[in-house]
């Protein structure tokens, strides 16, 4: 079932965590990494590393085991357009109705994102390929026996602006281009100040973006994150939250403050009628579980 159908049929705000019968679960995509291994003769060999199950397999396993809808993330980085088409055909075969379409970040050895020679540069380009497949348009005109796919397509939005965008207005116009090209809903980057989400939704509505905008939420649970999260995700942590955390003596105290903050954000968002509370668990599912129990 599609994310948008879940939203349309819901009686209230949906959540996404197994214990609480989530409507759907997102599975991120991590592109393969390469390392250079030294050979006996002193030269180096490039080796691609990917020692974990892929996004497709995890989605299929979740659906099999728990009968919950999944949303695999699909990125431009590392994929040619042909590989993307194959991935989409596989997803359809597995009965997966949803994809979250993203560009992906620069690979570890790159300073800026570089598309594959025969790959997509922006999420909107990838999105057009998915929309084409939904219209029955495959890469090869003469492919026999093709069928239309029916993917529900999500895209990313940034309440605090994507870090490469020159300004918020330009970023919003590119977001609108993704919606105009067929995105059914938006999931936001994490934010820690709900006012930023509300302002973002208002700005989106003002330029004619009318699809659901799902807030992305994440707990802060260590002092290190006070510097790591802004550095990695280009977001701000409010002074009240940061100051409280800096006073903490133990990790447990920090985690408790992060949990209370997330609960406060979640209660407020739910009260304001957001369609879904989407949590990035990132290795700390118990914190998110405590928050959802408190809702
Ligand atoms: C909810 C969420 C989930 C994520 N999951 C993953 C994941 O699973 N795997 C992963 O690798 N990464 C993931 N990311 C990170 C994401 O890949 C990065 O934030 C990436 O840098 C941008 O992706 P995008 O889809 O927003 O890109 P785009 O929409 O392509 O935008 C990238 C930048 O280009 C600009 N832009 C867009 N279109 C154009 C255009 N036509 N011309 C010029 N500029 C343009 C935008 O303003 C922006 O600055 C996720 C992010 C979010 C918010």
């Amino acid at each position: 079932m599609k994310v948008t159908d879940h939203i349309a049929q819901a009686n209230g705000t949906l959540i996404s965590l197994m214990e609480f019968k989530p409507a759907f679960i997102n599975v991120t995509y991590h592109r393969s990494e390469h390392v250079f291994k030294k050979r006996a003769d002193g030269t180096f060999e490039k080796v691609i590393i990917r020692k974990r199950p892929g996004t497709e397999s995890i989605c299929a396993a979740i659906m099999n085991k728990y009968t919950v809808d999944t949303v695999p993330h699909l990125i431009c980085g590392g994929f040619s357009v042909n590989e993307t088409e194959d991935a989409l055909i596989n997803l359809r075969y597995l009965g997966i109705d949803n994809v979250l379409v993203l560009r992906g970040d620069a690979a570890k050895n790159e300073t800026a994102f570089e598309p594959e020679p025969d790959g997509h540069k922006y999420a909107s380009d990838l999105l057009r390929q998915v929309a084409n497949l939904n219209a029955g348009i495959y890469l090869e005109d003469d492919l026999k026996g093709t069928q239309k796919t029916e993917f529900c397509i999500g895209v990313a939005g940034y309440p605090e602006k994507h870090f490469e965008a020159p300004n918020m207005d330009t970023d919003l116009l590119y977001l609108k281009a993704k919606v105009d090209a067929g995105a059914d809903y938006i999931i936001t980057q994490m934010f820690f100040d709900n006012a930023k989400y509300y302002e973002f939704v208002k700005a989106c509505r003002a330029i004619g973006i009318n699809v659901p905008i799902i807030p992305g939420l994440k707990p802060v649970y260590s002092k290190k994150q006070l510097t790591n999260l802004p550095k990695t995700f280009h977001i701000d942590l409010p002074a009240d939250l940061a100051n409280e955390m800096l006073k903490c003596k133990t990790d447990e105290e920090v985690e408790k403050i992060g949990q209370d903050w997330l609960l406060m954000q979640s209660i407020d968002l739910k009260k304001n009628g957001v369609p879904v509370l989407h949590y990035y668990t990132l290795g700390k599912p118990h914190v998110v579980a405590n928050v959802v129990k408190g809702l």
Side-chain angles (χ1 to χ4, degrees):
M1 188 163 145
K2 297 180 175 186
V3 166
T4 41
D5 292 336
H6 280 294
I7 293 173
Q9 290 175 20
N11 289 323
T13 300
L14 297 168
I15 39 161
S16 50
L17 205 74
M18 189 58 71
E19 193 182 339
F20 306 97
K21 300 196 172 41
F24 56 90
I25 292 181
N26 281 54
V27 181
T28 54
Y29 187 91
H30 293 271
R31 63 190 289 178
S32 52
E33 291 162 17
H34 64 253
V35 291
F36 288 93
K37 284 200 171 160
K38 202 170 185 180
R39 297 192 187 101
D41 64 2
T43 60
F44 286 87
E45 177 190 9
K46 186 174 164 184
V47 183
I48 307 281
I49 307 180
R50 179 197 285 288
K51 292 279 180 255
R52 50 188 161 201
T55 301
E56 277 169 23
S57 320
I58 297 174
C59 286
I62 292 173
M63 287 173 68
N64 247 333
K65 204 166 167 187
Y66 303 107
T67 336
V68 170
D69 282 311
T70 53
V71 185
H73 294 191
L74 191 68
I75 64 171
C76 306
F79 282 82
S80 68
V81 292
N82 264 302
E83 287 164 341
T84 298
E85 186 166 286
D86 290 343
L88 289 164
I89 291 169
N90 277 340
L91 293 177
R92 180 176 185 274
Y93 183 76
L94 291 169
I96 291 172
D97 297 325
N98 301 286
V99 279
L100 185 69
V101 163
L102 302 144
R103 186 195 68 181
D105 281 319
K108 278 196 177 145
N109 59 320
E110 294 169 357
T111 49
F113 175 80
E114 281 178 28
E116 291 301 302
D118 182 19
H120 296 298
K121 189 170 179 192
Y122 294 111
S124 50
D125 304 326
L126 171 55
L127 194 148
R128 277 183 207 101
Q129 186 176 7
V130 184
N132 272 345
L133 238 56
N134 278 353
I137 304 165
Y138 285 70
L139 293 172
E140 302 292 331
D141 291 342
D142 55 355
L143 262 190
K144 301 269 183 305
T146 55
Q147 291 173 353
K148 289 180 183 179
T149 56
E150 291 181 23
F151 290 110
C152 176
I153 309 170
V155 289
Y158 301 82
E160 296 178 61
K161 187 181 88 62
H162 184 262
F163 70 104
E164 292 167 26
N167 58 66
M168 192 66 183
D169 287 349
T170 308
D171 205 24
L172 284 172
L173 288 179
Y174 288 129
L175 179 59
K176 181 156 189 317
K178 293 196 277 192
V179 174
D180 291 345
D184 296 298
Y185 66 96
I186 296 163
I187 301 194
T188 75
Q189 179 59 281
M190 67 186 75
F191 56 88
F192 296 91
D193 175 358
N194 287 359
K196 293 193 172 162
Y197 168 81
Y198 298 130
E199 278 163 28
F200 176 70
V201 173
K202 206 169 145 200
C204 286
R205 301 303 181 225
I207 58 165
I209 297 177
N210 295 315
V211 296
I213 302 178
I214 298 175
L217 298 162
K218 184 197 172 325
V220 188
Y221 48 80
S222 76
K223 278 192 192 175
K224 251 198 313 200
Q225 289 177 309
L226 294 178
T227 46
N228 282 352
L229 292 178
K231 188 171 153 210
T232 310
F233 297 103
H234 310 274
I235 45 97
D236 274 356
L237 291 160
D240 288 353
L241 174 63
N243 291 342
E244 279 308 301
M245 287 193 158
L246 287 171
K247 284 187 221 152
C248 293
K249 303 242 167 349
T250 64
D251 285 349
E252 287 71 29
E253 285 176 79
V254 178
E255 189 175 294
K256 178 73 174 66
I257 287 171
Q259 186 175 300
D260 290 348
W261 189 273
L262 185 60
L263 178 60
M264 181 190 73
Q265 279 193 281
S266 305
I267 290 172
D268 178 68
L269 289 163
K270 194 173 173 207
K271 201 177 72 196
N272 281 284
V274 297
V276 181
L277 291 169
H278 179 73
Y279 294 103
Y280 301 105
T281 52
L282 297 174
K284 288 281 176 183
H286 69 277
V287 177
V288 177
N290 290 339
V291 167
V292 179
K293 277 178 203 152
L295 274 176

